[in-house]
Amino acid sequence: MKRRTLPVAAAFAAAATLMLTACGGGDDKSGDSDKITGADQKTEKPTKSAEPSGAPAEDKPDGVDVSLPADMNLVFDWEKPKDKNEAAAMDDAANFFRAIYRGVDKRTSKDASVAAYATGDGLKYAETQINAWIDGGWTATGTLRHYDATTRSAANGKSVEVAFCADAGKFYGKEIKTDKVLKTEPSIEDFDHYKIIMVKYPTGTGLWQASKVFVETKAAKCQ
């Protein structure tokens, strides 16, 4: 089993109603207009961890632990934009994905990091992802690379679209009970293209939350 947006096809079907997915480049219309879909999405208040985790400072942006186990490596191979808001939104889009895989590792969709970096449909997406891994009895191992990132701000300055590719060619599911790593041959299924709508949390703290997630699976443009 190779990691995709969800671990297996059955999980895709079960979660379909909670995902905003554009399969195939022709279906994704979010780049056709200067208006960002979901720009008016409301935010939800993040919660704090009950106990400090002991993670190093670089693993606790905004005071929230997003540390991952040593064998779960998320790489964000991109350059930050010059715009301050877009750079902050890009950083927290990365933290959103760290939060998802922290939830996978901790076996819960209720980790404080998920509540901190996701809201609205973004929160539903994160919970769906995490619960699919949990229900399947899997965790993840290997390297998941994110690259070719672009950003685009809404006119009101309160939301930013962060788009990027992901290569899961060296990222695998691992059975919790047996520690068996589930590998497959490299294929187009390793490549996804994401568009994440990040909204600014209205406290002046610089926190951005994923409010909507659009995924193009089998993304040839990411090869």
Side-chain angles (χ1 to χ4, degrees):
M1 184 275 293
K2 177 64 68 63
R3 179 265 173 201
R4 291 182 58 188
T5 308
L6 287 175
V8 291
F12 265 117
T17 58
L18 295 180
M19 294 182 64
L20 298 173
T21 305
C23 296
D27 291 337
D28 191 345
K29 304 298 184 183
S30 60
D32 293 345
S33 170
D34 288 337
K35 183 178 179 181
I36 296 178
T37 303
D40 57 350
Q41 177 71 49
K42 294 182 179 180
T43 59
E44 295 177 6
K45 185 176 181 180
T47 57
K48 294 182 179 179
S49 300
E51 298 292 339
S53 67
E58 60 268 24
D59 286 335
K60 300 181 71 174
D62 304 300
V64 180
D65 191 356
V66 291
S67 60
L68 296 170
D71 68 335
M72 196 184 291
N73 186 27
L74 270 59
V75 174
F76 297 91
D77 186 13
W78 55 41
E79 294 183 5
K80 290 185 182 180
K82 293 181 180 180
D83 182 89
K84 182 179 178 180
N85 280 345
E86 291 184 3
M90 178 180 280
D91 282 344
D92 284 346
N95 289 330
F96 171 62
F97 277 82
R98 293 186 181 104
I100 288 174
Y101 286 102
R102 179 173 172 82
V104 171
D105 175 58
K106 299 299 182 181
R107 317 308 291 164
T108 177
S109 61
K110 304 303 180 183
D111 189 82
S113 62
V114 178
Y117 293 108
T119 187
D121 288 334
L123 182 59
K124 291 178 182 178
Y125 174 88
E127 291 174 343
T128 299
Q129 297 292 305
I130 295 166
N131 288 331
W133 286 84
I134 294 172
D135 293 345
W138 310 299
T139 185
T141 187
T143 298
L144 178 57
R145 179 173 169 257
H146 307 78
Y147 54 99
D148 287 351
T150 61
T151 54
R152 186 165 60 102
S153 297
N156 62 11
K158 295 182 179 180
S159 67
V160 173
E161 177 189 272
V162 181
F164 54 89
C165 289
D167 178 1
K170 296 181 179 179
F171 198 62
Y172 310 102
K174 183 171 71 172
E175 293 179 349
I176 296 292
K177 291 183 178 181
T178 65
D179 280 338
K180 179 181 178 181
V181 177
L182 307 173
K183 295 185 178 182
T184 60
E185 293 299 319
S187 74
I188 187 64
E189 292 188 355
D190 296 329
F191 298 93
D192 297 324
H193 185 264
Y194 291 89
K195 289 186 179 180
I196 314 296
I197 307 302
M198 303 296 296
V199 293
K200 192 172 185 178
Y201 186 69
T203 61
T205 62
L207 175 67
W208 291 74
Q209 297 176 305
S211 67
K212 289 185 181 293
V213 180
F214 300 87
V215 189
E216 177 188 342
T217 61
K218 300 181 182 179
K221 61 188 175 186
C222 291
Q223 285 183 302

